[in-house]
Amino acid sequence: MPGTTAAHATDKLPDETVDAVVIGGGAAGLNGALMLARSRRSVVVIDSGTPRNAPAEGVHGLLGLDGTPPAELLRRGREEVRRYGGLVVAGDVVSARPAAPSAGGDPRFAVTLAGGGTLRARRLLVATGLRDVLPDVPGLAGHWGRGVVHCPYCHGWEVRDEPIGILAAGPASVHHALLFRQLTDDLVYFSRGTELDEGTRARLAARGVRVVDTPVTEVVTGEDGSIAGVRLSDGQVVPRRVLAVVTTLLARTEGLEELALPTRDLPGGMGRHVAGGTAGATEVPGVWVAGNATEPMAQVGASAAAGALAGAHMNADLAAADTEAALDAARRVTHA
């Protein structure tokens, strides 16, 4: 459930083939573009303006930048990419596909935007992030990113000591509960029909976690607009101020179907991600992936680091291709 950031300045699409197109203007994409631009590569970032963390008040756990609003962090990132000659274009990718390679076999791609513009690139970095799918509980979605949280490391400190409820969605929710128990003494586990064996119930009880097996019917909003509690099927309302949920994590791959990127299911039915190898290289020659699209649990710092690593490996791959092209040209001159 990504939010939308305010519109920002957009650069003009170049006419020539660029070294790299980065699809996604979040931390992973911008840091990948930064590494490429600093290596004097021509790079264009396509930014849809819908980052996953847009509803959050601040980025947390990022050394030196803890608490920075997400929009401000991305603004700085775009500025840094442009400082080294990179371009940032606001838009949605509707098609990314392989194109005819160069005469020497170097990969080429065509990237088409919703407005009709098309980019040609030698390499692609997919940094589209993911979509959080919330449990289907009435009243829940309206509190996403505020009273409804998913990550104890991203939001935990901010909700410490509050009455927190865990809306179970599967086996991973038990681990979720143990992490949030570190942050509050008042924790209720709403099982929502999920199975809990006796050993698990004993562990939760030992940590002072109350388990509620009565079905949940809705999240109740208080007069102040925040969460007031959870209504059960018997009519009882369990007062809560914060709800923690394990979301289904789905990589955002709309418009990328023609790339035939390999995807894999996450354990426990938690979602689906793009499969990446060393430094984010995929099975598709010329395509890398970084950030939450391939590492759904990565926070901003880890996503940015992955983007930087992918960008460096892309530059190395381009350098090797440039060298082979130069060698072929020299041989042709020699034999002319």
Side-chain angles (χ1 to χ4, degrees):
M1 295 184 60
T4 302
T5 60
H8 57 78
T10 182
D11 296 317
K12 182 181 177 181
L13 291 178
D15 294 324
E16 70 277 6
T17 297
V18 297
D19 289 320
V21 165
V22 178
I23 305 174
L30 288 173
N31 219 16
L34 182 63
M35 294 296 282
L36 287 158
R38 282 179 51 83
S39 296
R40 307 190 75 175
R41 294 293 177 186
S42 54
V43 57
V44 179
V45 178
I46 307 300
D47 181 10
S48 69
T50 55
R52 179 190 186 194
N53 63 355
E57 292 184 358
V59 171
H60 296 291
L62 184 59
L63 188 64
L65 293 170
D66 187 80
T68 303
E72 171 61 15
L73 183 67
L74 298 182
R75 185 197 65 78
R76 294 182 196 177
R78 292 190 293 269
E79 182 179 277
E80 290 171 356
V81 168
R82 287 176 168 134
R83 185 185 307 162
Y84 295 102
L87 303 178
V88 182
V89 175
D92 292 298
V93 171
V94 295
S95 174
R97 60 191 183 279
S102 70
D106 194 45
R108 294 289 187 272
F109 300 91
V111 179
T112 303
L113 305 188
T118 297
L119 276 164
R120 295 177 297 278
R122 299 173 63 193
R123 302 293 184 272
L124 294 182
L125 174 57
V126 174
T128 49
L130 60 79
R131 180 173 295 103
D132 291 281
V133 180
L134 292 170
D136 186 16
V137 177
L140 183 69
H143 296 283
W144 175 244
R146 297 181 301 280
V148 176
V149 299
H150 72 289
C151 174
Y153 303 107
C154 303
H155 316 290
W157 176 264
E158 286 65 39
V159 300
R160 68 194 184 282
D161 297 326
E162 293 281 6
I164 299 176
I166 302 291
L167 292 182
S173 294
V174 174
H175 176 64
H176 216 211
L178 297 179
L179 295 178
F180 274 95
R181 175 61 181 83
Q182 178 66 22
L183 300 162
T184 183
D185 293 332
D186 187 354
L187 188 66
V188 174
Y189 188 93
F190 299 93
S191 64
R192 298 184 61 243
T194 60
E195 293 294 329
L196 290 176
D197 59 34
E198 290 305 314
T200 299
R201 288 178 182 272
R203 287 179 174 83
L204 292 174
R207 294 302 310 275
V209 178
R210 175 187 168 199
V211 176
V212 173
D213 293 313
T214 307
V216 170
T217 59
E218 67 171 325
V219 174
V220 179
T221 300
E223 293 182 0
D224 62 355
S226 63
I227 292 174
V230 174
R231 190 182 307 279
L232 307 179
S233 61
D234 61 6
Q236 176 189 0
V237 174
V238 181
R240 295 292 91 185
R241 294 292 293 171
V242 176
L243 294 174
V245 299
V246 173
T247 61
T248 300
L249 309 171
L250 300 176
R252 300 172 69 185
T253 57
E254 297 83 359
L256 309 181
E257 293 82 3
E258 292 179 84
L259 294 176
L261 293 171
T263 60
R264 293 177 186 158
D265 290 331
L266 294 167
M270 290 181 61
R272 196 163 182 81
H273 69 126
V274 178
T278 303
T282 73
E283 295 176 3
V284 181
V287 181
W288 275 255
V289 62
N292 285 154
T294 185
E295 293 290 348
M297 303 301 177
Q299 290 182 262
V300 171
S303 291
L309 185 60
H313 278 247
M314 292 170 71
N315 178 60
D317 187 60
L318 286 163
D322 291 342
T323 302
E324 290 304 311
L327 181 60
D328 287 345
R331 285 170 175 166
R332 287 194 298 272
V333 170
T334 300
H335 292 94

